[in-house]
C-alpha cells in the first residue's frame, strides 16, 4: 500500500487460556478472526486515498484493542477483572463498534466482490451482543461491597469479610491451592507492572487490597470450605436449593449419617502439605503496600479503564 500500517499486536489466544469473561471473549475472538482473514484482501485492493488509509489503520487498531482485551482476560487477575466487569463490557462494545465503523468506510472503496465479503462480516458484527456472566457479575458485587466498606471507613467484621471473599472465589473457581497461587501471582505481576501515576496508584491500592484478602483467607479458600450465605447487600440469593429441585424426600442413603443432611459430594481432607504451600507464598501483609497502609482508600475510585 505504500504506507507503514502496524500489524496486529499478537495472535489470538486459545479459548482454553481465557480465565474470566469467556463468553464475551469467545464472541470477540470470532469477530477478530473474521476481520483478520480479510485484511490481506483489503490491502491488495489498495485504497490509496487518505480516507482509505485512515480507515484501514482504524480497522487494525480495533483488532489490536480487541486482542489486548482478550489477552487481559487470559493473563490478568480474576478478581480484578470481575470487579471491573462493566469496564470490560464497555471495551468489548467499543471494539465491536470500531471494527464495524472501519469496515463500513472501507466497503465503499474496494471492488464489488470484496465489498460483498465485507458486508457479510458486518452482518455478523451487528447481531453480536455482549453481556456479563452472572456468576462473575456476582463475584464483582461481592468484591465491590468490601471495597466500599474500606473506602467509606466502615471496616467490616471479619466474618462478613471472609464470607464476601469466599463467595467471590467460589464464583470465579479460585477454590484450590493451585488456583489460589495462580491468582496471587497474577496480582503481584500486575502490581509490578504499574508506574507511579496517580491513577495507577489507585489501581495498585485495589490490587494490594485483593492480595491482602487472599493472603488473609487463603487457607479456607484453598480448602474449598465455602459456605453459602445470603448476600445481604444485594437482592440476589446466591444459594441454590437443590433439594427443591428433587421430587419427594431424598433417600436415606443419600444423607450423611451424622447430621442427616443431604450429601453434595465427598469430603476432602487437606493436611500439612498446605502449610508448606502457604509458607512458599510471598505474602505482602507486612509490606508498605499492604492493606495496613490503605488509609487513603476513602478517596478511592474504581478505574474507568482496566487495560
Amino acid at each position: 500500500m505504500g504506507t507503514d500500517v502496524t500489524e496486529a499486536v499478537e495472535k489470538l489466544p486459545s479459548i482454553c487460556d481465557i480465565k474470566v469473561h469467556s463468553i464475551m471473549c469467545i464472541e470477540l475472538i470470532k469477530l477478530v478472526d473474521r476481520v483478520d482473514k480479510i485484511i490481506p484482501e483489503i490491502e491488495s485492493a489498495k485504497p490509496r486515498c487518505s480516507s482509505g488509509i485512515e480507515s484501514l489503520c482504524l480497522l487494525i487498531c480495533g483488532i489490536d484493542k480487541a486482542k489486548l482485551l482478550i489477552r487481559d482476560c487470559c493473563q490478568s487477575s480474576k478478581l480484578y477483572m470481575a470487579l471491573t466487569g462493566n469496564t470490560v463490557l464497555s471495551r468489548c462494545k467499543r471494539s465491536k463498534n470500531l471494527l464495524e465503523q472501519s469496515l463500513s468506510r472501507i466497503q465503499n472503496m474496494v471492488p464489488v466482490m470484496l465489498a460483498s465479503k465485507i458486508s457479510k462480516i458486518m452482518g455478523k458484527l451487528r447481531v453480536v451482543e455482549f453481556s456479563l456472566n452472572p456468576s462473575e457479575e456476582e463475584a464483582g458485587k461481592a468484591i465491590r461491597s468490601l471495597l466500599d466498606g474500606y473506602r467509606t471507613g466502615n471496616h467490616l467484621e471479619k466474618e462478613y469479610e471472609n464470607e464476601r471473599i469466599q463467595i467471590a472465589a467460589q464464583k470465579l473457581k479460585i477454590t484450590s491451592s493451585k488456583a489460589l497461587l495462580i491468582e496471587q501471582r497474577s496480582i503481584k505481576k500486575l502490581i509490578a507492572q504499574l508506574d507511579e501515576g496517580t491513577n495507577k496508584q489507585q489501581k495498585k491500592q485495589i490490587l494490594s487490597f485483593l492480595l491482602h484478602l487472599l493472603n488473609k483467607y487463603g487457607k479456607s479458600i484453598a480448602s474449598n470450605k465455602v459456605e453459602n450465605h445470603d448476600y445481604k447487600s444485594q437482592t440476589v440469593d446466591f444459594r441454590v436449593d437443590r433439594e427443591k429441585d428433587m421430587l419427594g424426600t431424598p433417600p436415606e442413603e443419600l444423607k450423611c449419617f451424622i447430621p442427616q443432611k443431604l450429601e453434595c459430594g465427598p469430603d476432602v481432607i487437606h493436611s500439612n502439605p498446605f502449610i508448606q504451600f502457604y509458607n512458599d507464598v510471598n505474602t505482602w501483609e507486612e509490606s508498605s503496600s499492604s492493606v495496613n497502609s490503605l488509609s487513603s482508600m476513602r478517596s478511592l475510585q474504581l478505574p474507568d479503564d482496566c487495560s
Side-chain angles (χ1 to χ4, degrees), residues 76-77 80 186-188 190-191 194 200 202-212 289:
S76 189
S77 156
Y80 187 75
S186 297
I187 295 177
K188 290 179 182 180
L190 288 176
I191 293 175
L194 296 176
K200 300 298 183 181
Q202 289 188 343
K203 180 176 179 179
K204 189 173 184 178
Q205 284 183 328
I206 295 174
L207 291 169
S208 298
F209 173 67
L210 295 177
L211 184 60
H212 163 78
S289 60

Side-chain angles (χ1 to χ4, degrees), residues 13 26 39 51 64 79 118-119 145 156 166 168 171 178 240-241 246 255 267 291:
I26 289 172
I39 283 184
S51 60
D64 289 351
L79 292 173
I118 293 176
S119 179
S145 69
L156 306 172
Q166 289 212 48
K171 296 295 179 181
K178 180 179 179 180
V240 178
D241 192 349
M246 300 176 66
K255 294 184 178 180
D267 291 333
V291 77

Side-chain angles (χ1 to χ4, degrees), residues 188-225:
K188 290 179 182 180
K189 184 177 180 180
L190 288 176
I191 293 175
Q193 293 173 346
L194 296 176
D195 55 33
E196 299 302 321
T198 302
N199 293 335
K200 300 298 183 181
Q201 285 302 303
Q202 289 188 343
K203 180 176 179 179
K204 189 173 184 178
Q205 284 183 328
I206 295 174
L207 291 169
S208 298
F209 173 67
L210 295 177
L211 184 60
H212 163 78
L213 292 175
L214 292 181
N215 291 335
K216 186 175 181 180
Y217 301 108
K219 186 173 182 179
S220 57
I221 291 173
S223 297
N224 200 18
K225 296 178 180 178

Side-chain angles (χ1 to χ4, degrees), residues 22-277:
S22 59
I23 297 176
M24 292 192 293
C25 285
I26 289 172
E27 290 298 327
L28 204 55
I29 286 174
K30 292 178 182 177
L31 296 180
V32 171
D33 185 56
R34 291 189 181 102
V35 177
D36 248 346
K37 290 178 179 178
I38 205 171
I39 283 184
E41 293 185 57
I42 296 175
E43 292 177 333
S44 298
K46 300 180 180 180
R48 294 184 179 275
C49 60
S50 58
S51 60
I53 295 173
E54 180 184 355
S55 298
L56 182 56
C57 289
L58 287 175
L59 180 63
I60 294 177
C61 179
I63 293 175
D64 289 351
K65 288 181 180 294
K67 288 183 177 181
L68 287 173
L69 175 55
I70 297 168
R71 185 205 64 185
D72 287 343
C73 292
C74 292
Q75 300 178 3
S76 189
S77 156
K78 285 186 174 182
L79 292 173
Y80 187 75
M81 294 300 285
L83 175 65
T84 55
N86 289 329
T87 301
V88 176
L89 178 60
S90 297
R91 289 176 66 188
C92 284
K93 292 180 179 179
R94 288 199 301 267
S95 294
K96 170 193 166 183
N97 291 338
L98 184 56
L99 293 176
E100 187 176 348
Q101 291 170 8
S102 303
L103 287 173
S104 179
R105 295 172 60 179
I106 293 174
Q107 187 180 17
N108 299 322
M109 307 174 189
V110 296
V112 176
M113 293 296 293
L114 180 55
S116 177
K117 292 182 180 180
I118 293 176
S119 179
K120 291 180 181 179
I121 294 175
M122 290 176 60
K124 298 288 185 181
L125 282 167
R126 293 191 183 101
V127 299
V128 171
E129 296 290 339
F130 295 107
S131 61
L132 292 173
N133 179 287
S135 292
E136 294 167 354
E137 190 173 9
E138 298 302 340
K141 290 177 182 178
I143 301 167
R144 187 178 295 273
S145 69
L146 293 174
L147 280 171
D148 287 342
Y150 278 93
R151 182 177 56 82
T152 57
N154 298 324
H155 294 283
L156 306 172
E157 295 181 359
K158 184 177 180 181
E159 182 179 353
Y160 181 85
E161 191 178 67
N162 184 24
E163 177 188 330
R164 297 277 80 76
I165 188 60
Q166 289 212 48
I167 286 174
Q170 184 187 40
K171 296 295 179 181
L172 298 173
K173 296 181 174 59
I174 308 173
T175 53
S176 67
S177 58
K178 180 179 179 180
L180 177 64
L181 182 58
I182 292 174
E183 178 65 11
Q184 289 171 317
R185 286 176 174 174
S186 297
I187 295 177
K188 290 179 182 180
K189 184 177 180 180
L190 288 176
I191 293 175
Q193 293 173 346
L194 296 176
D195 55 33
E196 299 302 321
T198 302
N199 293 335
K200 300 298 183 181
Q201 285 302 303
Q202 289 188 343
K203 180 176 179 179
K204 189 173 184 178
Q205 284 183 328
I206 295 174
L207 291 169
S208 298
F209 173 67
L210 295 177
L211 184 60
H212 163 78
L213 292 175
L214 292 181
N215 291 335
K216 186 175 181 180
Y217 301 108
K219 186 173 182 179
S220 57
I221 291 173
S223 297
N224 200 18
K225 296 178 180 178
V226 182
E227 298 180 359
N228 288 322
H229 297 277
D230 289 330
Y231 195 174
K232 300 176 183 178
S233 61
Q234 301 292 334
T235 59
V236 179
D237 188 351
F238 287 146
R239 295 175 299 180
V240 178
D241 192 349
R242 298 187 180 278
E243 292 183 354
K244 292 181 180 180
D245 294 335
M246 300 176 66
L247 296 176
T249 304
E252 292 297 323
E253 60 269 19
L254 294 182
K255 294 184 178 180
C256 177
F257 70 92
I258 297 177
Q260 288 297 298
K261 293 182 178 179
L262 183 63
E263 287 284 80
C264 295
D267 291 333
V268 181
I269 300 177
H270 295 268
S271 51
N272 290 334
F274 180 78
I275 299 176
Q276 181 61 42
F277 154 75

